[in-house]
Amino acid sequence: MDKEKIKTFARDELFISGIYNYCDRWCERCPQTSRCLNYAMGEEEFTDPEARDMRNKAFWEKISENFRAAMELLEEMAAERGIDLNEIDLDHAEEERLSVKETARSHEISRSAMAYSDMVESWFKEAKSFLGKDDEQDRGPLPSGSERAPGKSEMQESLEVIRWYQHQIYVKMMRAISGRSKEESEDFDEMEQFAKDSDGSAKVALIGIDRSIAAWSIIASGFPPFRGSDVQQILTLLERLRRRIEKDFPDARGFIRPGFDKIDYNS
């Protein structure tokens, strides 16, 4: 996709600005794909099945093409704003990026989120003998905000939800903590009335935790083989993680995600 086509897509008022910044990337279950610029560009570019498979040459050729177009557009935008990209101190920028990343990685929230991810991985390995059996029990309520795929049992659905958010909680909190670090290092005094990107990322993580807790609760209550202490430990860790995030990012729940959340004018 060339830069002019990217511009054409970006100018289309059908798309909601920034909607893809605060979603959970579960496109096949998203009701807003028709309003998402990222989704539309992906569908436009990867119509060929081979171009969607990273094992094929076509995939990497398409990635390279898109990268070149993005760089051309970036250079053009920089020139329009009088920014000389050659004057940017790349060494300093990289040093700062690594410092912020390390700070985020060592944060208690990030370490807890990583611990959760590892616990989930261990649990799936230990439960492998049970998971090979297709559970045909009656279908019950889903985790809040989810929509069961056709033909999915309650067990399968819960496991898919857990797997989807297993690593994403950590990734989103890394972004939230890193983003907050940058916000604090810059002058945001005059922008206090605006929502912060760090709160948006934290909210997506909280949504993932909410849905994961609901999914684990279904497994713990409805399937006898999984009522052991391992599931209870996972639920305890998730609940503590949720409370810690809400404490550290008190405005996260109130963040209005473009296209997903509505403003409550009565509050």
Side-chain angles (χ1 to χ4, degrees):
M1 181 180 292
D2 58 41
K3 66 176 182 180
E4 293 304 322
K5 202 163 189 178
I6 294 176
K7 286 182 179 180
T8 300
F9 266 102
R11 285 194 293 263
D12 193 332
E13 295 183 357
L14 169 68
F15 302 119
I16 298 173
S17 178
I19 188 173
Y20 43 78
N21 288 326
Y22 309 107
C23 71
D24 62 8
R25 304 293 178 182
W26 210 339
C27 297
E28 64 187 41
R29 301 195 180 195
C30 179
Q32 297 284 18
T33 50
S34 63
R35 309 292 306 280
C36 178
L37 176 61
N38 268 10
Y39 182 83
M41 290 177 63
E43 291 295 293
E44 173 78 12
E45 284 295 278
F46 297 97
T47 53
D48 180 0
E50 287 193 356
R52 292 178 181 267
D53 187 350
M54 65 184 301
R55 295 170 296 180
N56 289 318
K57 182 180 179 181
F59 173 86
W60 295 107
E61 288 179 342
K62 186 63 66 175
I63 292 294
S64 296
E65 178 186 326
N66 288 345
F67 176 75
R68 286 193 296 271
M71 287 305 299
E72 289 177 8
L73 187 57
L74 174 61
E75 290 171 357
E76 182 179 301
M77 293 171 62
E80 290 175 354
R81 290 166 173 75
I83 300 173
D84 186 352
L85 297 177
N86 294 319
E87 290 185 358
I88 296 177
D89 188 343
L90 296 180
D91 291 335
H92 176 72
E94 178 64 7
E95 183 179 329
E96 183 179 4
R97 185 189 70 82
L98 292 174
S99 175
V100 169
K101 185 176 181 180
E102 182 55 37
T103 298
R105 185 187 288 116
S106 61
H107 195 284
E108 181 183 344
I109 288 176
S110 299
R111 288 189 281 108
S112 294
M114 179 58 73
Y116 167 71
S117 179
D118 291 341
M119 287 177 71
V120 172
E121 198 63 38
S122 296
W123 183 87
F124 270 93
K125 288 179 180 178
E126 294 176 5
K128 190 174 182 180
S129 60
F130 292 106
L131 300 181
K133 302 175 183 179
D134 184 26
D135 194 287
E136 293 298 333
Q137 295 196 30
D138 292 340
R139 300 176 183 182
L142 287 175
S144 176
S146 299
E147 182 177 340
R148 177 180 287 116
K152 296 286 184 182
S153 70
E154 185 180 23
M155 164 68 98
Q156 291 172 319
E157 190 68 33
S158 297
L159 294 174
E160 284 193 11
V161 168
I162 290 167
R163 274 299 199 189
W164 188 263
Y165 295 107
Q166 175 186 354
H167 303 292
Q168 190 179 112
I169 294 169
Y170 171 78
V171 171
K172 292 297 182 181
M173 285 315 304
M174 280 286 290
R175 172 173 169 167
I177 296 167
S178 298
R180 183 174 64 180
S181 178
K182 294 177 183 177
E183 291 163 0
E184 291 174 347
S185 66
E186 297 175 9
D187 185 10
F188 274 77
D189 292 341
E190 298 180 0
M191 300 181 63
E192 289 185 354
Q193 70 272 28
F194 296 104
K196 296 179 180 178
D197 177 80
S198 56
D199 285 330
S201 296
K203 181 170 185 174
V204 178
L206 285 169
I207 291 172
I209 291 173
D210 293 343
R211 293 176 179 174
S212 296
I213 287 176
W216 279 115
S217 298
I218 288 173
I219 290 174
S221 63
F223 302 93
F226 302 125
R227 288 178 182 170
S229 60
D230 288 348
V231 173
Q232 200 57 52
Q233 288 177 7
I234 289 172
L235 280 167
T236 299
L237 175 59
L238 274 179
E239 179 57 31
R240 288 175 176 170
L241 180 57
R242 175 164 64 179
R243 294 184 182 186
R244 178 59 193 272
I245 294 172
E246 289 176 336
K247 180 180 179 180
D248 277 35
F249 294 83
D251 297 323
R253 289 285 188 186
F255 184 93
I256 304 299
R257 297 173 301 149
F260 295 109
D261 304 322
K262 295 181 179 179
I263 300 175
D264 184 1
Y265 292 101
N266 296 317
S267 62

